[in-house]
Amino acid sequence: MSAATDHPLTGSTLTLPGLPWPLLRCVAALADAPLTLIAERLRDAMLPYLGSSALVIFTEDCTGWPQKKVGEEDIISRVSIAELDTLRAALSDETPWFGEAEIGGKPRPVLALKHAESGALLVLTDPHPTGPGHNTGLDVVTYLWRIAARRIQEKVADAPPSYLLESRAASGERIRVTAELTDLHSTTLETLLAALRSASLDDAAARATVTDLTAKALVRLRTLSDRTMHLAEEPVATAFERLREDLRPLTRFSGVEVEFIKPPPNGRALPGEVAHAARAIVRGLALAMMEQPEVSRVRTQWDCDGENLLINVRDDGRGALTADAPSITRLDRRVQALKGQLRVDVMPGWGADVFVTLPLDPPARPAGDVAGWNLAARELEVLQHLVAGHRNRTIASTLGISENTVKFHVRNLFKKLDVGSRTEAIALAHSHGLR
């Protein structure tokens, strides 16, 4: 990554009271955007001020889709977590950074912004000012990015049922693809190493050089695989400590003591969407319990039996909490989204005891459950090729159609499946049993 350079958009100021109505409408659409459309709406909102060949968002908190992207296919299909991680690590604060960085496999001019609170990263490739009002462009872009970053942060923290279902499917698909690629490349490199170490090769210097390069490549490949797994899973002890941090303000200002019973440190790691949901559920239960009269203490405990995360939250109130209370009903919908169970035991005069069970593995789905998408025969063929990992050129050659026709079918698939990228389409197809 090269050093930052001056850019025509820097040095401007934004006067919020003068925002035009089109921008206000974009802000409203962005604030209400689902995660699958957040990149597209952010780019649309920025377009009157800043153009780009691609827009990429990278955030670790969103385990299902750490990348949200829109733009040129050659860029968004090739950009990697490793590239984004390297760029983000080089940014020290929220100051917009202009320079050259490797994105999508080659150096490109980029604008990069990091969100201080969540660590989320925004990357715009080939940025260029648009429209007559260049002076306020960068501040508007920064303002819109902060809204988008906060939207992602709140969406993940709230862990609504729709997010949990989509995130689980996407996480599983990413892990599967990464594992297959790791096995494939590891086998190739290990075979190459075996050949180079063979005594029949007499060029010792060549063998030593290539052996060293291949060994380093193997290490890097394993590191990337571990990085992907880290994004998709969270150690149970780490997830519980984050819960303590989330509830710290409640214990400070509510006057209610919250007791934490830690899970075993060697318990099975939690899928990211389960960890997010568990924290959101406990926060919701704690708030519901604290709203009751005469509650002075709330106790929460996590455990893991290898297949499920087991959550228990209890209070020392009068036992006024009920299973059909609106707050409990909303939490139960989140639990059901992950095929879990929630049970409320109430003893009048002795408090409420809530038990939640969240499965760590997604449930099996019947094969080929895609009838509800109303796909045309050709669209289904294209989707099957996407699931197989084929690029547009390969799909066009196999089906005897042009690449533009393939792109047309892919766009229609995105609309019918309500997804924003090939990765999301593949994840959703896998979650419906399409192989």
Side-chain angles (χ1 to χ4, degrees), residues 193-248:
L193 273 175
L196 291 173
R197 288 169 175 164
S198 171
S200 62
L201 297 176
D202 54 10
D203 191 342
R207 285 205 309 274
T209 300
V210 178
T211 297
D212 180 60
L213 291 174
T214 309
K216 290 179 179 177
L218 273 171
V219 171
R220 183 171 182 268
L221 188 63
R222 294 296 182 186
T223 300
L224 290 176
S225 177
D226 292 344
R227 178 76 174 121
T228 301
M229 292 298 294
H230 169 72
L231 287 174
E233 293 186 342
E234 189 172 355
V236 63
T238 302
F240 191 77
E241 286 304 313
R242 290 182 65 181
L243 171 67
R244 292 174 69 110
E245 292 300 317
D246 289 348
L247 291 179
R248 194 180 300 279

Side-chain angles (χ1 to χ4, degrees), residues 299-348:
R299 175 182 181 272
T300 180
Q301 179 176 8
W302 284 15
D303 204 347
C304 188
D305 64 4
E307 297 181 355
N308 303 282
L309 175 63
L310 309 174
I311 300 171
N312 175 227
V313 185
R314 66 174 64 176
D315 65 50
D316 64 350
R318 299 178 183 176
L321 196 66
T322 61
D324 58 358
S327 57
I328 301 301
T329 301
R330 287 193 297 270
L331 293 174
D332 191 33
R333 285 198 294 268
R334 293 180 180 177
V335 173
Q336 291 180 26
L338 290 176
K339 305 302 179 185
Q341 295 180 339
L342 183 148
R343 188 181 86 245
V344 180
D345 291 345
V346 178
M347 295 183 64

Side-chain angles (χ1 to χ4, degrees), residues 95-296:
T95 304
W97 185 91
F98 287 97
E100 189 175 83
E102 184 167 317
I103 297 292
K106 68 178 185 180
R108 305 177 192 273
V110 303
L111 163 62
L113 296 98
K114 184 166 68 173
H115 188 243
E117 187 174 345
S118 66
L121 174 71
L122 172 69
V123 179
L124 297 164
T125 58
D126 305 307
H128 54 276
T130 57
H134 296 171
N135 292 336
T136 61
L138 185 58
D139 285 314
V140 174
V141 166
T142 303
Y143 170 68
L144 292 169
W145 162 235
R146 287 172 179 166
I147 293 175
R150 178 53 65 90
R151 172 64 176 166
I152 295 170
Q153 192 177 21
E154 291 175 350
K155 188 84 169 176
V156 173
D158 289 343
S162 59
Y163 165 78
L164 296 174
L165 290 172
E166 296 165 357
S167 181
R168 165 156 280 186
S171 293
E173 173 61 15
R174 192 171 71 255
I175 292 173
R176 184 192 69 79
V177 172
T178 300
E180 289 180 358
L181 289 173
T182 299
D183 289 343
L184 174 64
H185 290 292
S186 294
T187 300
T188 301
L189 293 174
E190 287 162 0
T191 302
L192 181 58
L193 273 175
L196 291 173
R197 288 169 175 164
S198 171
S200 62
L201 297 176
D202 54 10
D203 191 342
R207 285 205 309 274
T209 300
V210 178
T211 297
D212 180 60
L213 291 174
T214 309
K216 290 179 179 177
L218 273 171
V219 171
R220 183 171 182 268
L221 188 63
R222 294 296 182 186
T223 300
L224 290 176
S225 177
D226 292 344
R227 178 76 174 121
T228 301
M229 292 298 294
H230 169 72
L231 287 174
E233 293 186 342
E234 189 172 355
V236 63
T238 302
F240 191 77
E241 286 304 313
R242 290 182 65 181
L243 171 67
R244 292 174 69 110
E245 292 300 317
D246 289 348
L247 291 179
R248 194 180 300 279
L250 291 179
T251 62
R252 184 181 305 164
F253 302 114
S254 68
V256 176
E257 178 188 356
V258 180
E259 181 182 1
F260 299 90
I261 309 300
K262 293 182 179 180
N266 58 349
R268 177 180 166 183
L270 306 180
E273 58 275 2
V274 173
H276 288 308
R279 287 191 291 268
I281 290 165
V282 173
R283 286 197 305 268
L285 288 172
L287 285 170
M289 290 176 172
M290 290 176 181
E291 290 175 354
Q292 302 175 95
E294 298 184 17
V295 170
S296 62

